[in-house]
Amino acid sequence: QVQVVESGGGLVQAGGSLRLSCTVSALTFDDHAMGWFRQAPGKEREGVSCINWAGVSPYYADSVKGRFTISRDNAKNTLYLQMNILKPEDTAMYYCAAGPYPTLAAMISPGRFPYWGQGTQVTVSS
């Protein structure tokens, strides 16, 4: 059974940094694109960033470009999201997802990712 487990969320002041991690098991990690999504209360889930199997040309939502960096370590079956210069509007539950699109070149809808974690909460205080 595929397991996707996020970690690294927490409470941070505006301008601070957090690093999220996502570990995947029972899945051929480098056969899958990986994505980070977030959902704030009362809002739809939105794509934050995604990365193909090789880690080349990752996608970023405009709201996080220049502040967030996605990366992956295929040897460790782990995905990361380095979040810098955090803003209160980044407050959300952050989810990691895996999809069988190894050469993914753009963000796709959350519904097309079959494997999801339970999420990790990120709260940014002003």
Side-chain angles (χ1 to χ4, degrees):
Q1 183 175 354
V2 176
Q3 285 194 316
V4 180
V5 180
E6 303 96 336
S7 62
L11 173 64
V12 64
Q13 288 189 332
S17 298
L18 284 173
R19 189 192 196 203
L20 305 184
S21 298
C22 168
T23 302
V24 180
S25 59
L27 178 145
T28 305
F29 190 68
D30 54 7
D31 277 350
H32 287 72
M34 298 296 299
W36 286 102
F37 296 80
R38 67 186 182 186
Q39 189 166 18
K43 294 188 176 182
E44 291 187 355
R45 191 167 296 189
E46 64 171 347
V48 174
S49 182
C50 64
I51 190 168
N52 62 21
W53 77 274
V56 175
S57 300
Y59 163 90
Y60 296 97
D62 287 343
S63 58
V64 306
K65 278 181 183 175
R67 300 188 297 121
F68 290 11
T69 302
I70 191 172
S71 61
R72 63 189 291 165
D73 185 337
N74 289 345
K76 296 182 178 180
N77 283 16
T78 301
L79 176 74
Y80 303 99
L81 186 68
Q82 178 65 44
M83 305 186 296
N84 298 328
I85 318 175
L86 282 160
K87 303 176 181 180
E89 51 264 43
D90 295 318
T91 295
M93 185 70 78
Y94 282 70
Y95 299 90
C96 171
Y101 317 108
T103 59
L104 185 71
M107 177 56 74
I108 57 177
S109 67
R112 295 186 62 188
F113 283 82
Y115 307 110
W116 289 84
Q118 293 300 307
T120 185
Q121 177 68 38
V122 172
T123 303
V124 184
S125 63
S126 57

